[in-house]
Amino acid sequence: MKKIISILLAVMLVVSVTVVSVSAYNNADDYSKMSPSTTYKPSGSYTVDDSTPTCEEAILACGGDLNNVQKIYFQVPLADPKQDGSDWVNQFNVDANGVCQICVYWWAGIAGEDGWPDGNGCSWVGYRTKLVDAKNRIYEATVPADGGTPLLIWNNGVNAGMDKTKPIFKYGRQLADANIEGAYEGDYDTLPEGTPNEDNMDGCIQIIDYSVSTINPLTQIPAYGSNWYIYYGDGCYGEYSEDSANFVSKHENCKNPEHLADPDKYHSTRGDVNYDDNVDVQDVVYIQRYLAGYEFKPGEFNKSNADVDEDGYISVIDASRIQRYLAHICDIDGKKL
């Protein structure tokens, strides 16, 4: 499986998360070349703040069309216990509401290196992305669907560029350039049946891979690999698109190791006992089999969802509740319709 080599700037200290307003650090005397009274220029800043435009704002400012975009996702990685300083969250990228700000930029095309109206292009820290799933740490970037947007770079809103004289340098994290044009022409093989549009990565997610590492020759800091997957939602991602014959459900096809370790935690739709994303007669059959002593393999029977009436037991009453629900006699809570 080919890897996209990504640069994750690791440091010796794992910092604790302090909830502060990051804009407090952005002034001419401190870490940033921005100040609250100036217009944001998407290059040369050291931290993200409230003046940093979103991807959508940047596209519109550069004459782009929000009807012609692709949605690309990123999961902020958990800190690797084997890697010192691998945490993406720090006091410089958490806003006043306690939300970590993740940014992205791209080298070319609309709102890219040659696309910003002032002619300066776009580099650090790029544009703010949208947190769409706090529990699973999923962020969404809106990127032009065409217009020459070949390379995408995610970062944690802290400049991890070459200026090591700034104390903030050690807090920066980023992934390396990721190809989003022609990716299905052979550049990546983690998506054997991905999006039918091979010229973009719409609906895909980039996942870091700590097991693949090299040393960045410029910074002498470890660089880590990553892979593309189809994003299904709810923190689930896999190798097959949802219209593929190999796709069963977002939970059965999910490759997220956090979900695989505790599938019931991430799949909490009462009555959906067999992980197929539906509440139907098959769930009744599974409960009946369970009560008859059938032993299911891990990931086949969701005991939490099988306790439909939430009385702490799995019984024939739970199967009856599903049957009544399917007959439109009551809702899943047992209330009469």
Side-chain angles (χ1 to χ4, degrees):
M1 182 178 293
K2 297 180 182 177
K3 308 294 180 182
I4 309 166
I5 298 301
S6 62
I7 301 173
L8 177 59
L9 298 179
V11 296
M12 296 178 63
L13 298 177
V14 178
V15 297
S16 60
V17 177
T18 304
V19 178
V20 299
S21 175
V22 295
S23 59
Y25 296 97
N26 284 349
N27 58 73
D29 297 325
D30 206 328
Y31 298 116
S32 179
K33 296 177 182 177
M34 297 185 296
S35 67
S37 62
T38 60
T39 302
Y40 174 78
K41 296 182 183 299
S43 61
S45 59
Y46 286 101
T47 62
V48 60
D49 72 359
D50 293 340
S51 71
T52 308
T54 64
C55 295
E56 291 84 353
E57 290 170 340
I59 291 172
L60 290 176
C62 296
D65 182 2
L66 293 183
N67 292 316
N68 189 26
V69 295
Q70 53 187 314
K71 302 290 186 178
I72 298 177
Y73 301 89
F74 171 66
Q75 182 180 44
V76 173
L78 294 172
D80 185 353
K82 299 180 181 179
Q83 304 289 341
D84 290 338
S86 59
D87 197 341
W88 278 55
V89 183
N90 57 69
Q91 66 263 43
F92 294 103
N93 67 358
V94 176
D95 66 18
N97 297 316
V99 177
C100 176
Q101 300 293 303
I102 298 297
C103 296
V104 71
Y105 64 96
W106 47 93
W107 282 122
I110 299 170
E113 178 70 12
D114 54 1
W116 193 257
D118 63 8
N120 289 335
C122 176
S123 58
W124 295 102
V125 289
Y127 313 118
R128 284 183 292 157
T129 62
K130 182 187 302 181
L131 177 63
V132 294
D133 185 340
K135 181 179 73 172
N136 294 292
R137 311 178 310 282
I138 305 295
Y139 288 76
E140 176 188 87
T142 300
V143 180
D146 55 20
T149 310
L151 299 174
L152 190 72
I153 304 96
W154 292 87
N155 68 83
N156 71 339
V158 178
N159 192 332
M162 296 299 104
D163 189 355
K164 298 181 182 180
T165 64
K166 300 291 183 180
I168 202 171
F169 173 82
K170 65 182 181 180
Y171 295 102
R173 308 286 182 270
Q174 75 167 110
L175 296 183
D177 302 3
N179 183 20
I180 55 174
E181 283 190 349
Y184 295 96
E185 297 174 349
D187 288 351
Y188 310 114
D189 56 9
T190 56
L191 298 170
E193 295 181 31
T195 172
N197 186 351
E198 62 184 22
D199 290 326
N200 64 46
M201 301 296 282
D202 186 41
C204 293
I205 186 169
Q206 192 174 358
I207 302 297
I208 196 169
D209 184 354
Y210 281 117
S211 68
V212 179
S213 65
T214 59
I215 299 297
N216 185 293
L218 297 177
T219 64
Q220 299 302 308
I221 293 176
Y224 298 92
S226 62
N227 276 311
W228 286 108
Y229 294 93
I230 303 293
Y231 184 53
Y232 305 136
D234 295 330
C236 293
Y237 53 83
E239 298 179 347
Y240 300 102
S241 62
E242 295 186 46
D243 58 0
S244 166
N246 292 311
F247 179 82
V248 179
S249 72
K250 65 183 180 183
H251 297 283
E252 291 208 22
N253 286 86
C254 183
K255 296 293 185 179
N256 186 342
E258 297 174 39
H259 287 209
L260 298 175
D262 190 359
D264 289 358
K265 178 181 178 181
Y266 294 91
H267 189 77
S268 57
T269 302
R270 271 192 297 161
D272 181 11
V273 177
N274 62 350
Y275 296 99
D276 68 350
D277 296 325
N278 293 297
V279 178
D280 54 28
V281 67
Q282 287 298 317
D283 299 300
V284 176
V285 173
Y286 269 56
I287 292 178
Q288 292 172 337
R289 290 179 181 176
Y290 174 82
L291 296 175
Y294 184 86
E295 293 186 4
F296 292 94
K297 296 178 181 179
E300 286 185 339
F301 186 83
N302 191 319
K303 292 183 179 180
S304 177
N305 289 352
D307 181 15
V308 184
D309 61 2
E310 297 183 324
D311 65 351
Y313 302 94
I314 299 174
S315 67
V316 68
I317 297 176
D318 297 302
S320 176
R321 170 74 66 81
I322 296 176
Q323 290 174 319
R324 295 172 63 209
Y325 167 76
L326 295 175
H328 304 290
I329 297 173
C330 68
D331 60 20
I332 202 67
D333 294 319
K335 298 178 181 178
K336 292 183 178 180
L337 298 179

